[in-house]
Amino acid sequence: MSLYARLPAARTQFIYEKSISWFPGHMMAGLREMRDQMRTVDLVIETRDARIPLSSINKQFEQIVKGKHRVIVYNKADLAPISTQTPVREALAKRSHHKVLFTNTNVNKSVRQILDVARELSASDPIRYPELSIMVIGMPNVGKSSLINALRRTGINRGKAANTGAKPGVTRTLSSRIRVLESPPIYLVDTPGVMIPYIPDPIVALKVALTGGIKDNIADEGVLADYLLYRLNRFADIDYCSILGISQPTDDINEFLQMLGRKIGALRQGGEIDTDKAIQFFLRAFRQGKFGQLCLDDLAPHAVDEFFKRSMEEAPLSKNQAQKAKRAAQRQRSLEKAQKRGSRSH
């Protein structure tokens, strides 16, 4: 019997209507740089998160990479059920001709798939591709930099070249070219993770935030913890009580945090439970894969069709979002002008 079956009064849906927006200036600048450099790029690797194979799609990339050879790479595949790979491939095959790969950056054989695609492209026209330039793009925290380091490790047995971190926004500018293969010569360019300026579906935004794509303080950690508890109760085969060492399942986030806080010793002065620490522990456990392989997106054919119909249509920015984006662009231009003036004065 699942934990959820033992909670007859548990929620059957998660009600959340607040929109979450996180589109700082460096992301707009990154998009502009991608457009400017795209003419020198031979192959685009669009990296997504295998735990949210639909929700980690950023439609902004479609116009930027149009006409380029492109590979869709679902990274962190070790954190998602292998059973999700076939429906994802089938869903994307109906809508594009791009090759779809699933990768785990800790496994060389997994990463080598990407190098094989690059080699094939180079071999298809050696005169046109005496060397290959690849741009790696994706939403924040899908593992682009980790993937580049893994490709470098696998291709030329070299160490880390791109900075990585558990929080989104570590890479803020386009990197210089990074060599990942000697023969044929293959180079990669890392890019900032770019968020969708406006995610129309609040639950999709929660999924992106829960997997680390939006900063926790922007998304509200308490809501993320509540949504995670709701999802764990819905999964039939996850005994989170045994994993976390708490006494019983619950659908009440406050009761849950009290139990978890006592278990991990998250106490404030006077013995009060430090719920902030309990929340952070809970979210970190999910992101580290402590609850096993999970997929947060519904991949049933009707749900996939509905997602593409709803989420992939052009959604105009709100007036406030458009003004914010305009101000961010103006700040970036002012900064660039100031830097140019400074360089001329030296």
Side-chain angles (χ1 to χ4, degrees), residues 6 35 142 150-151 198 265 317:
R6 289 183 250 156
R35 289 191 187 96
V142 293
L151 287 165
Y198 172 65
L317 298 181

Side-chain angles (χ1 to χ4, degrees), residues 264-332:
I264 66 175
L267 303 174
R268 292 193 175 99
Q269 193 171 5
E272 180 186 358
I273 299 296
D274 189 333
T275 55
D276 290 337
K277 285 186 178 179
I279 287 170
Q280 291 163 7
F281 181 92
F282 187 38
L283 296 179
R284 189 164 57 248
F286 167 74
R287 290 166 181 165
Q288 292 174 347
K290 302 297 186 184
F291 302 113
Q293 297 176 320
L294 302 175
C295 178
L296 300 178
D297 285 335
D298 186 349
L299 298 178
H302 72 278
V304 172
D305 290 342
E306 177 61 26
F307 171 85
F308 280 101
K309 180 181 177 181
R310 183 183 68 249
S311 300
M312 296 303 287
E313 293 173 350
E314 288 297 326
L317 298 181
S318 69
K319 182 178 179 181
N320 181 56
Q321 290 161 341
Q323 289 174 341
K324 182 179 178 182
K326 184 178 180 180
R327 287 195 299 270
Q330 289 171 339
R331 286 196 302 270
Q332 184 64 27

Side-chain angles (χ1 to χ4, degrees), residues 109 111-121 181 186:
K109 182 180 179 181
V111 175
R112 200 171 289 121
Q113 301 175 89
I114 301 172
L115 293 177
D116 290 342
V117 172
R119 282 194 188 96
E120 288 174 11
L121 179 58
L181 202 65
I186 295 178

